[in-house]
Amino acid sequence: NKFIPDNFSHEQSLIFDTQNGLVIFNSCSHAGADNILKEVTDIFPSKKIYAIIGGFHLFPLKDEEIKDFAKRVKETGIKKIITGHCTGERAFNILKEELQDSALQFYTGFEIDL
């Protein structure tokens, strides 16, 4: 009957090394999509990240925080950001506005060539 801080050690990312660059697949990014991007960059410093796929858990953030995240994604050179349900519709719309064709939403039956 008490709260225990989560260290997110149970949440893992799957990373594909493709001819276009690294593709990160994550579930809900509870540890923070920014943190995941930083960790992958630290582990693979000579590789470019082509895409990140997953829920980004952005729905509780303020609009400016979401825009700041989109700016950081642009700065990394990531070509595709494909979001899931826990990103939130409002957050996705902001990402789409900021990242345009680079931002997609996945859905049941969604297919992508890597």
Side-chain angles (χ1 to χ4, degrees), residues 38-58:
K38 182 181 179 333
E39 185 173 16
V40 170
T41 301
D42 289 348
I43 293 170
F44 302 101
S46 64
K47 303 269 186 173
K48 291 285 185 193
I49 300 172
Y50 173 71
I52 182 168
I53 304 168
F56 301 131
H57 218 75
L58 300 175

Side-chain angles (χ1 to χ4, degrees), residues 52-97:
I52 182 168
I53 304 168
F56 301 131
H57 218 75
L58 300 175
F59 69 90
L61 300 183
K62 296 176 183 168
D63 291 4
E64 283 307 311
E65 292 172 304
I66 298 165
K67 288 178 183 179
D68 288 344
F69 172 68
K71 180 182 175 186
R72 290 188 296 277
V73 166
K74 276 185 193 177
E75 290 170 355
T76 66
I78 293 172
K79 302 294 183 208
K80 297 285 180 196
I81 179 170
I82 306 168
T83 70
H85 74 284
C86 70
T87 299
E89 197 66 32
R90 179 183 57 83
F92 172 73
N93 289 334
I94 293 168
L95 291 174
K96 186 72 174 168
E97 183 179 308

Side-chain angles (χ1 to χ4, degrees), residues 94-113:
I94 293 168
L95 291 174
K96 186 72 174 168
E97 183 179 308
E98 297 294 316
L99 301 171
Q100 300 176 5
D101 291 340
S102 294
L104 303 168
Q105 252 180 337
F106 67 79
Y107 48 85
T108 302
F110 181 83
E111 293 183 19
I112 184 170
D113 289 324

